[in-house]
């Protein structure tokens, strides 16, 4: 592909535009949160990095969220198993174990829902 080099004036204008865009914190936040999965998040290049030396750090929001959801799912299944055992045997210890597991499951589920709703709200408004 034949590319013509930019003139000095064009490079200066382009640098001014890039500087103005870097100063926009909400735009930077939205661009940073656009990438999902294993693509990683862009890390801002400082003056010590050259033009082609951008670094990325691996994004872990998706992995942590999936692990938390898996943990709540497993906790819910064990709570259900404790409920069935407590009803079938009538043991007070199993009833108390079910009650404790139920509270733990609900609190973890509530935490996941709050995290999900905050992430959803930040995507729609552009704030963290």
């Amino acid at each position: 592909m034949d590319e013509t080099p930019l003139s000095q004036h064009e490079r200066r204008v382009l640098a001014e535009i890039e500087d103005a865009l870097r100063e926009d914190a909400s735009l930077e936040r939205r661009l940073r949160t656009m990438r999902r999965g294993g693509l990683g998040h862009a890390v801002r290049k400082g003056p010590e990095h050259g033009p082609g030396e951008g670094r990325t750090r691996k994004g872990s929001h998706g992995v942590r969220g999936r692990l938390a959801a898996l943990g709540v799912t497993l906790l819910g299944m064990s709570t259900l198993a404790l409920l069935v055992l407590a009803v079938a045997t009538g043991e007070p210890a199993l009833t108390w174990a079910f009650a404790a597991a139920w509270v733990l499951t609900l609190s973890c589920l509530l935490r996941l829902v709050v995290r999900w709703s905050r992430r959803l709200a930040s995507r729609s408004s552009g704030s963290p």
Side-chain angles (χ1 to χ4, degrees):
M1 181 174 184
D2 294 329
E3 292 185 25
T4 57
L6 297 175
S7 69
Q8 182 66 27
H9 174 70
E10 291 171 330
R11 283 184 285 197
R12 190 180 70 236
V13 170
L14 181 60
E16 288 173 3
I17 292 171
E18 288 174 346
D19 288 340
L21 290 175
R22 272 191 210 102
E23 291 174 3
D24 188 357
S26 66
L27 174 64
E28 185 176 344
R29 228 182 343 262
R30 282 186 286 168
L31 290 174
R32 193 173 48 239
T33 59
M34 283 176 108
R35 293 186 180 195
R36 296 194 57 170
L39 293 176
H41 298 286
V43 176
R44 175 182 267 178
K45 292 185 275 183
E48 67 274 359
H49 301 292
E53 298 174 357
R55 300 171 292 152
T56 60
R57 61 184 160 100
K58 188 164 181 128
S60 61
H61 294 313
V63 174
R64 274 190 291 163
R66 286 187 182 96
L67 284 177
L70 178 65
V72 170
T73 302
L74 292 176
L75 194 57
M77 290 189 321
S78 62
T79 302
L80 184 62
L82 280 172
L83 173 65
V84 169
L85 287 173
V87 168
T89 61
E91 287 290 322
L94 285 175
T95 304
W96 283 107
F98 161 73
W102 179 246
V103 169
L104 184 63
T105 303
L106 285 182
S107 62
C108 290
L109 185 62
L110 179 64
R111 185 174 178 213
L112 275 179
V113 169
V114 166
R115 186 186 306 168
W116 172 74
S117 63
R118 283 183 182 165
R119 193 174 304 142
L120 197 64
S122 70
R123 284 185 191 153
S124 64
S125 68
S127 62

